[in-house]
Amino acid sequence: MNASADHSLEPNRPAEAVRFRALMLGAIGVVFGDIGTSPLYTIKEAFSPHYGLSPDRATVLGILSLVFWSLVLVITVKYVLVVLRADNDGEGGIMALAALAQRRLSADSRMAYAVGILGVAGVALFLGDGVLTPAISVLSAVEGLEVAAPDLHAFVLPVTIAVLLALFGLQRFGTHAVGKAFGPVILAWFLALAVLGCHNILANPDVLHALEPIWAIRFFVTHGWHGILVLGAVVLAVTGGETLYADMGHFGRRPIATAWNCLVLPALTLNYLGQGALVLDNATAVANPFYVGVPRWALYPMIALATAATVIASQAVISGAYSAAQQAIQLGYLPRMAVRHTSRASIGQIYVPTVNWMLMLAVMATVVGFGSSTALATAYGVSVTGTMLITSFLWIVTVSGRGSRPGLGFWLLACAFVLVDTAFLSANLAKFLDGAWFPIAFGAVVFALLRTWRRGSRALQSTIRSQSIDLDALIAGLSACPPLRVAGTAIFLTSQEGVVPNALLHNLKHNKVLHAHNVLLTVASCPVPHVPGAARLEIEALGAGFHRAIVRFGFMDTPDVPLALAQSGDRCDLEFEPMQTTYFASRESIVASSRSCMPVWRDRLFRLMHRNAAPATDFFRIPNTRLVEMGSPIAI
């Protein structure tokens, strides 16, 4: 079902209105958790000693104006009004956008290759965000203990680590049950932000002048190039913007846009203005303007609510990392991993153990290594702004590649998006030695893994094809000298069309028999979210008891080969009776070669990844009781 088509219409019946409100509540809980917790640290970091700003009236109003207009330009205009309309059959996210952009281009063109590189880089940066967001969000919430009682400073790190350990440890149970509470908790959080902001604004209404863009312009005029560097802190206000696009397929464009315009943007604006009003009245409040502005009687409840909100924000990012990993696996950029579905009702509820534990180790190391949200803020932002810039480029390619020539309005928007994203990215790169190197290094490692697997897999398939026998020649030979046949159906898994699978050759060589029906099955991953049932299976009779079959899955589908075959219906003359069907698979083992097409380090990395990849038969849900595997050494 196309989520964007199904959810984007304005409800006009009571049942649809209830469903629309439920989608809005779900979007509030899942989509806006990350950006909703930004007030915990954004203003505090803008006035950190790193930037050397004094909290005078002009500077405070300038910072607040930059924050507000960044929310308007980046989130409202770019994502809500523009990018959310660039869906890939109802799905969003950087991999979906890259796949959509490549479909607009010639498959063999240099531009298509460049788009693929951009998509991989975007995923690498997004996974880096998956490390930093839980670390800085939970740490900044728990640091409220220092405001309530300075003597509790020593407990900040242990409590943060305990919260994060519990968060990652509970992932295997799924987020379905916890997800029901996401919406109400984050809704309460945004209402608390708005109430707290109004309370502080009433003490100094002069802060409302920050809504005028002239204060942002004056800030740059006054501070010059130094003002550009401060964007490295301002960008913290728009972190989580990419999540709006990534989760579009789950909730639809209209529920997300309505929730943003009617609740999230007003609540964030009021809270930022309230923090600014507090700083104007008391310059020492810049140490932690969010918690300083909380009444003493509400401090501990607010710490608890903030911790819950940051856990939910972290959960959304972690779930997004699972989805990104699944898409990368389906599109051939990561080795197969165990993917567990944790909900019978929702196909999007998945758990990837390998990704979970690797993220957990990275997050723990980040929290311990940086030690505070202030130190983490210097590292935070590069991965977010890099992903946003890549999204802008991919959007430009997607829209300009539709066939019709875009007008002047499109190019003005495109230039504005690229200019703003570049300014944010440049400001964050200026913090390279202060911590920004970390997400860049992490993203480079992930990028190397993705590209190595992609290149090595293609080299492996090329080697297999060069060493294989032509299928038509084998069928002709078997027709001339038919071997002994046994009853049943044999399905030979192969990634190559038109050649004989190694498993078939080994079976014929060692067992001297063939089944009555032999199906050469190829599983194809398509650059679309979902493949409809009618287009999923294609079967062609080759003669002599042989058939060629192709099973297609989208990058959001669950690959289940037996189920796809069982649903073939009357589209072929074969019946895939489970007890009469045997699956044959060849499991290649990569051996060292002096003529490798990759550098030595990359060759060794690919062999390590291939050795630890989940078997294709497990990934495609083929029952072990009906499976025969045969080893085959390959040198690439």
Side-chain angles (χ1 to χ4, degrees), residues 369-404:
F370 284 89
S372 69
S373 62
T374 298
L376 269 170
T378 60
Y380 202 34
V382 172
S383 55
V384 175
T385 53
T387 305
M388 291 194 301
L389 181 59
I390 290 173
T391 296
S392 295
F393 283 132
L394 293 178
W395 173 76
I396 292 171
V397 173
T398 299
V399 176
S400 60
R402 287 177 176 171
S404 58

PDB file of all heavy atoms in Angstrom, residues 369-404:
ATOM      1  N   GLY A 369      34.068   8.785  25.995  1.00  0.00           N
ATOM      2  CA  GLY A 369      35.171   9.542  25.402  1.00  0.00           C
ATOM      3  C   GLY A 369      34.980  11.044  25.470  1.00  0.00           C
ATOM      4  O   GLY A 369      35.924  11.795  25.760  1.00  0.00           O
ATOM      5  N   PHE A 370      33.736  11.533  25.209  1.00  0.00           N
ATOM      6  CA  PHE A 370      33.495  12.975  25.217  1.00  0.00           C
ATOM      7  C   PHE A 370      33.112  13.486  26.608  1.00  0.00           C
ATOM      8  O   PHE A 370      33.471  14.594  26.977  1.00  0.00           O
ATOM      9  CB  PHE A 370      32.416  13.326  24.195  1.00  0.00           C
ATOM     10  CG  PHE A 370      32.907  13.315  22.776  1.00  0.00           C
ATOM     11  CD1 PHE A 370      32.871  12.163  22.018  1.00  0.00           C
ATOM     12  CD2 PHE A 370      33.415  14.462  22.196  1.00  0.00           C
ATOM     13  CE1 PHE A 370      33.325  12.145  20.712  1.00  0.00           C
ATOM     14  CE2 PHE A 370      33.877  14.467  20.888  1.00  0.00           C
ATOM     15  CZ  PHE A 370      33.835  13.301  20.142  1.00  0.00           C
ATOM     16  N   GLY A 371      32.334  12.707  27.349  1.00  0.00           N
ATOM     17  CA  GLY A 371      32.100  13.022  28.754  1.00  0.00           C
ATOM     18  C   GLY A 371      31.006  14.013  29.067  1.00  0.00           C
ATOM     19  O   GLY A 371      30.484  14.015  30.183  1.00  0.00           O
ATOM     20  N   SER A 372      30.625  14.886  28.142  1.00  0.00           N
ATOM     21  CA  SER A 372      29.588  15.887  28.414  1.00  0.00           C
ATOM     22  C   SER A 372      28.892  16.253  27.116  1.00  0.00           C
ATOM     23  O   SER A 372      29.440  16.062  26.016  1.00  0.00           O
ATOM     24  CB  SER A 372      30.191  17.142  29.059  1.00  0.00           C
ATOM     25  OG  SER A 372      30.994  17.840  28.119  1.00  0.00           O
ATOM     26  N   SER A 373      27.686  16.818  27.262  1.00  0.00           N
ATOM     27  CA  SER A 373      26.947  17.223  26.058  1.00  0.00           C
ATOM     28  C   SER A 373      27.636  18.394  25.370  1.00  0.00           C
ATOM     29  O   SER A 373      27.562  18.536  24.141  1.00  0.00           O
ATOM     30  CB  SER A 373      25.510  17.598  26.436  1.00  0.00           C
ATOM     31  OG  SER A 373      25.491  18.705  27.320  1.00  0.00           O
ATOM     32  N   THR A 374      28.322  19.248  26.140  1.00  0.00           N
ATOM     33  CA  THR A 374      29.051  20.370  25.537  1.00  0.00           C
ATOM     34  C   THR A 374      30.169  19.873  24.630  1.00  0.00           C
ATOM     35  O   THR A 374      30.364  20.373  23.518  1.00  0.00           O
ATOM     36  CB  THR A 374      29.630  21.276  26.638  1.00  0.00           C
ATOM     37  OG1 THR A 374      28.553  21.819  27.402  1.00  0.00           O
ATOM     38  CG2 THR A 374      30.440  22.409  26.029  1.00  0.00           C
ATOM     39  N   ALA A 375      30.921  18.874  25.100  1.00  0.00           N
ATOM     40  CA  ALA A 375      31.986  18.302  24.274  1.00  0.00           C
ATOM     41  C   ALA A 375      31.406  17.590  23.059  1.00  0.00           C
ATOM     42  O   ALA A 375      31.950  17.659  21.953  1.00  0.00           O
ATOM     43  CB  ALA A 375      32.829  17.338  25.105  1.00  0.00           C
ATOM     44  N   LEU A 376      30.266  16.905  23.253  1.00  0.00           N
ATOM     45  CA  LEU A 376      29.634  16.194  22.139  1.00  0.00           C
ATOM     46  C   LEU A 376      29.088  17.161  21.095  1.00  0.00           C
ATOM     47  O   LEU A 376      29.038  16.839  19.906  1.00  0.00           O
ATOM     48  CB  LEU A 376      28.505  15.304  22.658  1.00  0.00           C
ATOM     49  CG  LEU A 376      28.877  13.872  23.037  1.00  0.00           C
ATOM     50  CD1 LEU A 376      27.727  13.191  23.757  1.00  0.00           C
ATOM     51  CD2 LEU A 376      29.263  13.079  21.807  1.00  0.00           C
ATOM     52  N   ALA A 377      28.652  18.336  21.542  1.00  0.00           N
ATOM     53  CA  ALA A 377      28.077  19.302  20.601  1.00  0.00           C
ATOM     54  C   ALA A 377      29.079  19.729  19.545  1.00  0.00           C
ATOM     55  O   ALA A 377      28.696  20.087  18.426  1.00  0.00           O
ATOM     56  CB  ALA A 377      27.557  20.521  21.359  1.00  0.00           C
ATOM     57  N   THR A 378      30.373  19.702  19.881  1.00  0.00           N
ATOM     58  CA  THR A 378      31.380  20.060  18.886  1.00  0.00           C
ATOM     59  C   THR A 378      31.471  19.003  17.786  1.00  0.00           C
ATOM     60  O   THR A 378      31.861  19.314  16.657  1.00  0.00           O
ATOM     61  CB  THR A 378      32.762  20.222  19.544  1.00  0.00           C
ATOM     62  OG1 THR A 378      33.151  18.989  20.159  1.00  0.00           O
ATOM     63  CG2 THR A 378      32.724  21.312  20.598  1.00  0.00           C
ATOM     64  N   ALA A 379      31.134  17.760  18.133  1.00  0.00           N
ATOM     65  CA  ALA A 379      31.158  16.695  17.137  1.00  0.00           C
ATOM     66  C   ALA A 379      29.833  16.582  16.404  1.00  0.00           C
ATOM     67  O   ALA A 379      29.778  16.155  15.243  1.00  0.00           O
ATOM     68  CB  ALA A 379      31.495  15.359  17.806  1.00  0.00           C
ATOM     69  N   TYR A 380      28.756  16.954  17.083  1.00  0.00           N
ATOM     70  CA  TYR A 380      27.416  16.812  16.518  1.00  0.00           C
ATOM     71  C   TYR A 380      27.187  17.867  15.446  1.00  0.00           C
ATOM     72  O   TYR A 380      27.585  19.016  15.580  1.00  0.00           O
ATOM     73  CB  TYR A 380      26.395  16.987  17.635  1.00  0.00           C
ATOM     74  CG  TYR A 380      25.030  16.385  17.361  1.00  0.00           C
ATOM     75  CD1 TYR A 380      24.888  15.228  16.628  1.00  0.00           C
ATOM     76  CD2 TYR A 380      23.881  16.981  17.874  1.00  0.00           C
ATOM     77  CE1 TYR A 380      23.647  14.677  16.405  1.00  0.00           C
ATOM     78  CE2 TYR A 380      22.630  16.435  17.664  1.00  0.00           C
ATOM     79  CZ  TYR A 380      22.513  15.289  16.925  1.00  0.00           C
ATOM     80  OH  TYR A 380      21.278  14.733  16.709  1.00  0.00           O
ATOM     81  N   GLY A 381      26.567  17.520  14.394  1.00  0.00           N
ATOM     82  CA  GLY A 381      26.210  18.480  13.363  1.00  0.00           C
ATOM     83  C   GLY A 381      26.796  18.169  12.009  1.00  0.00           C
ATOM     84  O   GLY A 381      26.156  18.399  10.982  1.00  0.00           O
ATOM     85  N   VAL A 382      28.018  17.611  11.970  1.00  0.00           N
ATOM     86  CA  VAL A 382      28.648  17.314  10.682  1.00  0.00           C
ATOM     87  C   VAL A 382      27.850  16.253   9.930  1.00  0.00           C
ATOM     88  O   VAL A 382      27.551  16.404   8.733  1.00  0.00           O
ATOM     89  CB  VAL A 382      30.102  16.852  10.885  1.00  0.00           C
ATOM     90  CG1 VAL A 382      30.691  16.355   9.574  1.00  0.00           C
ATOM     91  CG2 VAL A 382      30.949  17.997  11.417  1.00  0.00           C
ATOM     92  N   SER A 383      27.509  15.175  10.622  1.00  0.00           N
ATOM     93  CA  SER A 383      26.773  14.099   9.952  1.00  0.00           C
ATOM     94  C   SER A 383      25.391  14.577   9.532  1.00  0.00           C
ATOM     95  O   SER A 383      24.909  14.235   8.440  1.00  0.00           O
ATOM     96  CB  SER A 383      26.661  12.889  10.877  1.00  0.00           C
ATOM     97  OG  SER A 383      26.082  13.236  12.115  1.00  0.00           O
ATOM     98  N   VAL A 384      24.741  15.402  10.373  1.00  0.00           N
ATOM     99  CA  VAL A 384      23.400  15.897  10.058  1.00  0.00           C
ATOM    100  C   VAL A 384      23.437  16.817   8.847  1.00  0.00           C
ATOM    101  O   VAL A 384      22.660  16.656   7.889  1.00  0.00           O
ATOM    102  CB  VAL A 384      22.803  16.632  11.274  1.00  0.00           C
ATOM    103  CG1 VAL A 384      21.467  17.265  10.915  1.00  0.00           C
ATOM    104  CG2 VAL A 384      22.643  15.680  12.441  1.00  0.00           C
ATOM    105  N   THR A 385      24.340  17.807   8.875  1.00  0.00           N
ATOM    106  CA  THR A 385      24.401  18.768   7.770  1.00  0.00           C
ATOM    107  C   THR A 385      24.900  18.104   6.483  1.00  0.00           C
ATOM    108  O   THR A 385      24.466  18.472   5.387  1.00  0.00           O
ATOM    109  CB  THR A 385      25.310  19.948   8.133  1.00  0.00           C
ATOM    110  OG1 THR A 385      26.592  19.446   8.563  1.00  0.00           O
ATOM    111  CG2 THR A 385      24.708  20.757   9.256  1.00  0.00           C
ATOM    112  N   GLY A 386      25.807  17.148   6.606  1.00  0.00           N
ATOM    113  CA  GLY A 386      26.262  16.418   5.423  1.00  0.00           C
ATOM    114  C   GLY A 386      25.130  15.654   4.778  1.00  0.00           C
ATOM    115  O   GLY A 386      24.973  15.655   3.542  1.00  0.00           O
ATOM    116  N   THR A 387      24.313  15.005   5.592  1.00  0.00           N
ATOM    117  CA  THR A 387      23.156  14.267   5.066  1.00  0.00           C
ATOM    118  C   THR A 387      22.162  15.215   4.415  1.00  0.00           C
ATOM    119  O   THR A 387      21.599  14.909   3.347  1.00  0.00           O
ATOM    120  CB  THR A 387      22.473  13.484   6.190  1.00  0.00           C
ATOM    121  OG1 THR A 387      23.433  12.643   6.835  1.00  0.00           O
ATOM    122  CG2 THR A 387      21.351  12.615   5.635  1.00  0.00           C
ATOM    123  N   MET A 388      21.932  16.377   5.036  1.00  0.00           N
ATOM    124  CA  MET A 388      20.989  17.342   4.465  1.00  0.00           C
ATOM    125  C   MET A 388      21.483  17.869   3.123  1.00  0.00           C
ATOM    126  O   MET A 388      20.685  18.059   2.187  1.00  0.00           O
ATOM    127  CB  MET A 388      20.760  18.488   5.448  1.00  0.00           C
ATOM    128  CG  MET A 388      19.985  18.090   6.697  1.00  0.00           C
ATOM    129  SD  MET A 388      19.361  19.494   7.680  1.00  0.00           S
ATOM    130  CE  MET A 388      20.886  20.347   8.061  1.00  0.00           C
ATOM    131  N   LEU A 389      22.785  18.121   2.997  1.00  0.00           N
ATOM    132  CA  LEU A 389      23.328  18.600   1.733  1.00  0.00           C
ATOM    133  C   LEU A 389      23.201  17.541   0.644  1.00  0.00           C
ATOM    134  O   LEU A 389      22.841  17.842  -0.504  1.00  0.00           O
ATOM    135  CB  LEU A 389      24.794  19.006   1.912  1.00  0.00           C
ATOM    136  CG  LEU A 389      25.509  19.553   0.676  1.00  0.00           C
ATOM    137  CD1 LEU A 389      24.805  20.788   0.147  1.00  0.00           C
ATOM    138  CD2 LEU A 389      26.970  19.864   0.995  1.00  0.00           C
ATOM    139  N   ILE A 390      23.467  16.293   0.989  1.00  0.00           N
ATOM    140  CA  ILE A 390      23.329  15.200   0.018  1.00  0.00           C
ATOM    141  C   ILE A 390      21.874  15.067  -0.413  1.00  0.00           C
ATOM    142  O   ILE A 390      21.579  14.842  -1.600  1.00  0.00           O
ATOM    143  CB  ILE A 390      23.858  13.893   0.624  1.00  0.00           C
ATOM    144  CG1 ILE A 390      25.378  13.953   0.761  1.00  0.00           C
ATOM    145  CG2 ILE A 390      23.462  12.686  -0.238  1.00  0.00           C
ATOM    146  CD1 ILE A 390      25.978  12.785   1.501  1.00  0.00           C
ATOM    147  N   THR A 391      20.942  15.214   0.540  1.00  0.00           N
ATOM    148  CA  THR A 391      19.517  15.163   0.198  1.00  0.00           C
ATOM    149  C   THR A 391      19.170  16.255  -0.806  1.00  0.00           C
ATOM    150  O   THR A 391      18.408  16.023  -1.758  1.00  0.00           O
ATOM    151  CB  THR A 391      18.664  15.312   1.468  1.00  0.00           C
ATOM    152  OG1 THR A 391      18.897  14.196   2.332  1.00  0.00           O
ATOM    153  CG2 THR A 391      17.181  15.367   1.123  1.00  0.00           C
ATOM    154  N   SER A 392      19.726  17.449  -0.618  1.00  0.00           N
ATOM    155  CA  SER A 392      19.457  18.544  -1.559  1.00  0.00           C
ATOM    156  C   SER A 392      19.943  18.196  -2.960  1.00  0.00           C
ATOM    157  O   SER A 392      19.229  18.399  -3.953  1.00  0.00           O
ATOM    158  CB  SER A 392      20.142  19.833  -1.074  1.00  0.00           C
ATOM    159  OG  SER A 392      19.595  20.285   0.141  1.00  0.00           O
ATOM    160  N   PHE A 393      21.161  17.662  -3.083  1.00  0.00           N
ATOM    161  CA  PHE A 393      21.697  17.283  -4.393  1.00  0.00           C
ATOM    162  C   PHE A 393      20.841  16.190  -5.047  1.00  0.00           C
ATOM    163  O   PHE A 393      20.545  16.249  -6.245  1.00  0.00           O
ATOM    164  CB  PHE A 393      23.141  16.817  -4.258  1.00  0.00           C
ATOM    165  CG  PHE A 393      24.137  17.932  -4.079  1.00  0.00           C
ATOM    166  CD1 PHE A 393      25.092  17.886  -3.088  1.00  0.00           C
ATOM    167  CD2 PHE A 393      24.117  19.030  -4.920  1.00  0.00           C
ATOM    168  CE1 PHE A 393      26.008  18.916  -2.915  1.00  0.00           C
ATOM    169  CE2 PHE A 393      25.027  20.070  -4.769  1.00  0.00           C
ATOM    170  CZ  PHE A 393      25.973  20.009  -3.763  1.00  0.00           C
ATOM    171  N   LEU A 394      20.462  15.177  -4.267  1.00  0.00           N
ATOM    172  CA  LEU A 394      19.655  14.090  -4.822  1.00  0.00           C
ATOM    173  C   LEU A 394      18.278  14.589  -5.244  1.00  0.00           C
ATOM    174  O   LEU A 394      17.736  14.136  -6.259  1.00  0.00           O
ATOM    175  CB  LEU A 394      19.522  12.958  -3.797  1.00  0.00           C
ATOM    176  CG  LEU A 394      20.818  12.205  -3.455  1.00  0.00           C
ATOM    177  CD1 LEU A 394      20.549  11.154  -2.387  1.00  0.00           C
ATOM    178  CD2 LEU A 394      21.405  11.544  -4.703  1.00  0.00           C
ATOM    179  N   TRP A 395      17.711  15.514  -4.470  1.00  0.00           N
ATOM    180  CA  TRP A 395      16.415  16.095  -4.853  1.00  0.00           C
ATOM    181  C   TRP A 395      16.537  16.849  -6.168  1.00  0.00           C
ATOM    182  O   TRP A 395      15.661  16.761  -7.031  1.00  0.00           O
ATOM    183  CB  TRP A 395      15.922  17.024  -3.745  1.00  0.00           C
ATOM    184  CG  TRP A 395      14.695  17.798  -4.122  1.00  0.00           C
ATOM    185  CD1 TRP A 395      13.406  17.334  -4.189  1.00  0.00           C
ATOM    186  CD2 TRP A 395      14.652  19.173  -4.525  1.00  0.00           C
ATOM    187  NE1 TRP A 395      12.566  18.341  -4.603  1.00  0.00           N
ATOM    188  CE2 TRP A 395      13.299  19.480  -4.811  1.00  0.00           C
ATOM    189  CE3 TRP A 395      15.614  20.171  -4.645  1.00  0.00           C
ATOM    190  CZ2 TRP A 395      12.898  20.748  -5.214  1.00  0.00           C
ATOM    191  CZ3 TRP A 395      15.214  21.429  -5.052  1.00  0.00           C
ATOM    192  CH2 TRP A 395      13.865  21.712  -5.334  1.00  0.00           C
ATOM    193  N   ILE A 396      17.626  17.591  -6.333  1.00  0.00           N
ATOM    194  CA  ILE A 396      17.839  18.341  -7.574  1.00  0.00           C
ATOM    195  C   ILE A 396      17.918  17.383  -8.759  1.00  0.00           C
ATOM    196  O   ILE A 396      17.301  17.605  -9.810  1.00  0.00           O
ATOM    197  CB  ILE A 396      19.119  19.196  -7.470  1.00  0.00           C
ATOM    198  CG1 ILE A 396      18.932  20.316  -6.444  1.00  0.00           C
ATOM    199  CG2 ILE A 396      19.493  19.777  -8.834  1.00  0.00           C
ATOM    200  CD1 ILE A 396      20.205  21.065  -6.117  1.00  0.00           C
ATOM    201  N   VAL A 397      18.675  16.282  -8.607  1.00  0.00           N
ATOM    202  CA  VAL A 397      18.802  15.305  -9.693  1.00  0.00           C
ATOM    203  C   VAL A 397      17.446  14.669  -9.990  1.00  0.00           C
ATOM    204  O   VAL A 397      17.073  14.478 -11.160  1.00  0.00           O
ATOM    205  CB  VAL A 397      19.830  14.220  -9.320  1.00  0.00           C
ATOM    206  CG1 VAL A 397      19.838  13.112 -10.366  1.00  0.00           C
ATOM    207  CG2 VAL A 397      21.218  14.836  -9.201  1.00  0.00           C
ATOM    208  N   THR A 398      16.692  14.348  -8.953  1.00  0.00           N
ATOM    209  CA  THR A 398      15.400  13.681  -9.137  1.00  0.00           C
ATOM    210  C   THR A 398      14.422  14.567  -9.895  1.00  0.00           C
ATOM    211  O   THR A 398      13.775  14.125 -10.855  1.00  0.00           O
ATOM    212  CB  THR A 398      14.799  13.311  -7.768  1.00  0.00           C
ATOM    213  OG1 THR A 398      15.690  12.422  -7.094  1.00  0.00           O
ATOM    214  CG2 THR A 398      13.449  12.642  -7.938  1.00  0.00           C
ATOM    215  N   VAL A 399      14.302  15.810  -9.482  1.00  0.00           N
ATOM    216  CA  VAL A 399      13.327  16.704 -10.106  1.00  0.00           C
ATOM    217  C   VAL A 399      13.772  17.114 -11.505  1.00  0.00           C
ATOM    218  O   VAL A 399      12.975  17.122 -12.454  1.00  0.00           O
ATOM    219  CB  VAL A 399      13.098  17.943  -9.227  1.00  0.00           C
ATOM    220  CG1 VAL A 399      12.153  18.923  -9.913  1.00  0.00           C
ATOM    221  CG2 VAL A 399      12.540  17.538  -7.867  1.00  0.00           C
ATOM    222  N   SER A 400      15.053  17.428 -11.664  1.00  0.00           N
ATOM    223  CA  SER A 400      15.532  17.880 -12.975  1.00  0.00           C
ATOM    224  C   SER A 400      15.611  16.738 -13.978  1.00  0.00           C
ATOM    225  O   SER A 400      15.690  16.981 -15.184  1.00  0.00           O
ATOM    226  CB  SER A 400      16.910  18.533 -12.846  1.00  0.00           C
ATOM    227  OG  SER A 400      17.857  17.608 -12.329  1.00  0.00           O
ATOM    228  N   GLY A 401      15.554  15.499 -13.513  1.00  0.00           N
ATOM    229  CA  GLY A 401      15.638  14.357 -14.423  1.00  0.00           C
ATOM    230  C   GLY A 401      14.307  13.790 -14.835  1.00  0.00           C
ATOM    231  O   GLY A 401      14.231  12.705 -15.389  1.00  0.00           O
ATOM    232  N   ARG A 402      13.215  14.496 -14.545  1.00  0.00           N
ATOM    233  CA  ARG A 402      11.889  13.977 -14.872  1.00  0.00           C
ATOM    234  C   ARG A 402      11.507  14.124 -16.339  1.00  0.00           C
ATOM    235  O   ARG A 402      10.476  13.650 -16.766  1.00  0.00           O
ATOM    236  CB  ARG A 402      10.834  14.684 -14.001  1.00  0.00           C
ATOM    237  CG  ARG A 402      10.859  14.226 -12.548  1.00  0.00           C
ATOM    238  CD  ARG A 402       9.856  14.998 -11.718  1.00  0.00           C
ATOM    239  NE  ARG A 402       9.804  14.496 -10.358  1.00  0.00           N
ATOM    240  CZ  ARG A 402       9.152  15.072  -9.364  1.00  0.00           C
ATOM    241  NH1 ARG A 402       8.454  16.182  -9.607  1.00  0.00           N
ATOM    242  NH2 ARG A 402       9.166  14.567  -8.153  1.00  0.00           N
ATOM    243  N   GLY A 403      12.298  14.818 -17.107  1.00  0.00           N
ATOM    244  CA  GLY A 403      11.998  14.970 -18.528  1.00  0.00           C
ATOM    245  C   GLY A 403      11.660  16.399 -18.887  1.00  0.00           C
ATOM    246  O   GLY A 403      12.149  16.944 -19.873  1.00  0.00           O
ATOM    247  N   SER A 404      10.789  17.050 -18.091  1.00  0.00           N
ATOM    248  CA  SER A 404      10.453  18.446 -18.355  1.00  0.00           C
ATOM    249  C   SER A 404      11.500  19.356 -17.721  1.00  0.00           C
ATOM    250  O   SER A 404      12.041  19.046 -16.669  1.00  0.00           O
ATOM    251  CB  SER A 404       9.072  18.775 -17.779  1.00  0.00           C
ATOM    252  OG  SER A 404       9.059  18.526 -16.388  1.00  0.00           O
TER     253      SER A 404
END
